[in-house]
């Protein structure tokens, strides 16, 4: 069993904001996997599929970013899935715009959604796919920046990054080899900086 969670804020108001990179990447992964978000459970929209006999649940928490942990904890409990088998996909202001970083474990950094997930779940052992947005921030306050629409000049880089994240997710779901996916996609990120 694998649980894949994209972080963001629900509603049209937030659809194309920096904070919704996780939503966008997981939606793109759902398209690549030919599945749809057709269920609402545990305060999230979910899509379920089976690959090689293994159940995969893709989820988009609808709690708003800073309370994402409520949904994640409920999903982990319902499906009895460990943090090690859960991937969180989210925006990261500490990475340059367009940069993709995969890692296992670690702190929530400056990301309030990840901090809340770690606090509510009582562990930081989640796999992560972080989508860089920091290059566009300038002098803006963090809270104002993450809720603004992606700048026109960065839209293509953001879309390319979301596509790479979706491809990495799809490969992980099919192969279960996160270490290999990390080596491949973190190296690709280095080449584009």
């Amino acid at each position: 069993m694998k649980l894949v969670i994209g972080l963001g804020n629900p509603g049209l108001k937030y659809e194309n904001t920096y904070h919704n990179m996780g939503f966008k990447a997981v939606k793109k992964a759902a398209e690549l996997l030919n599945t749809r978000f057709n269920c609402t459970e545990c305060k999230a929209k979910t899509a379920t599929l089976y690959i090689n006999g293994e159940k995969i649940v893709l989820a988009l928490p609808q709690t708003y970013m800073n309370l994402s942990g409520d949904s994640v904890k409920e999903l982990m409990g319902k499906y009895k899935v460990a943090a090690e088998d859960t991937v969180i996909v989210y925006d990261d202001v500490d990475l340059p715009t367009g940069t993709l970083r995969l890692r296992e474990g670690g702190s929530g950094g400056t990301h309030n959604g990840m901090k809340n997930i770690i606090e509510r779940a009582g562990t930081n052992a989640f796999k992560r796919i972080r989508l860089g947005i920091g290059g566009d921030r300038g002098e803006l306050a963090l809270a104002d920046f993450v809720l603004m629409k992606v700048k026109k000049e960065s839209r293509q880089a953001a879309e390319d990054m979301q596509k790479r994240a979706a491809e990495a997710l799809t490969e992980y779901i099919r192969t279960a080899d996160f270490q290999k996916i990390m080596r491949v996609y973190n190296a690709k990120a280095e080449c584009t900086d």
Side-chain angles (χ1 to χ4, degrees):
M1 163 91 212
K2 290 188 183 71
L3 179 59
V4 175
I5 298 169
L7 300 187
N9 287 310
L12 290 174
K13 175 180 176 184
Y14 300 104
E15 189 169 345
N16 295 307
T17 62
Y18 286 98
H19 234 4
N20 274 32
M21 294 286 173
F23 268 15
K24 294 268 195 178
V26 173
K27 285 178 182 177
K28 285 181 189 294
E31 289 173 20
L32 292 173
L33 295 163
N34 295 313
T35 190
R36 294 174 186 249
F37 292 91
N38 56 6
C39 185
T40 300
E41 58 183 328
C42 303
K43 302 178 183 130
K45 289 184 178 177
T46 61
T48 302
L49 64 150
Y50 291 83
I51 293 185
N52 301 323
E54 182 180 34
K55 187 174 193 173
I56 313 293
V57 175
L58 307 179
L60 305 172
Q62 301 295 294
T63 54
Y64 291 95
M65 184 64 81
N66 293 352
L67 298 175
S68 297
D70 293 346
S71 177
V72 173
K73 185 175 180 184
E74 283 187 38
L75 287 161
M76 290 174 69
K78 177 175 181 174
Y79 289 104
K80 297 178 177 38
V81 62
E84 294 83 358
D85 295 317
T86 302
V87 182
I88 313 287
V89 185
Y90 61 100
D91 60 283
D92 193 330
V93 74
D94 297 321
L95 294 173
T97 302
T99 302
L100 194 64
R101 285 283 182 270
L102 287 71
R103 68 185 269 198
E104 296 179 292
S107 75
T110 57
H111 199 282
N112 289 333
M114 268 313 292
K115 287 180 188 176
N116 185 254
I117 290 168
I118 291 167
E119 179 185 320
R120 295 286 288 128
T123 180
N124 68 355
F126 303 99
K127 291 174 174 59
R128 298 116 192 274
I129 297 181
R130 299 157 48 214
L131 297 108
I133 61 169
D136 289 350
R137 182 174 171 196
E139 300 298 315
L140 285 170
L142 183 57
D144 295 331
F145 169 66
V146 295
L147 295 177
M148 69 183 268
K149 303 282 185 198
V150 175
K151 292 179 180 177
K152 186 176 182 180
E153 61 270 21
S154 296
R155 285 184 199 147
Q156 189 60 55
E159 284 180 25
D160 292 345
M161 176 177 62
Q162 291 159 16
K163 182 176 181 244
R164 289 195 319 273
E167 289 166 352
L169 270 173
T170 303
E171 285 184 45
Y172 169 63
I173 287 167
R174 291 189 171 132
T175 68
D177 190 344
F178 199 75
Q179 291 283 328
K180 179 182 177 187
I181 309 296
M182 281 174 56
R183 286 191 300 273
V184 170
Y185 282 86
N186 286 344
K188 283 183 182 178
E190 296 293 338
C191 294
T192 59
D193 289 351

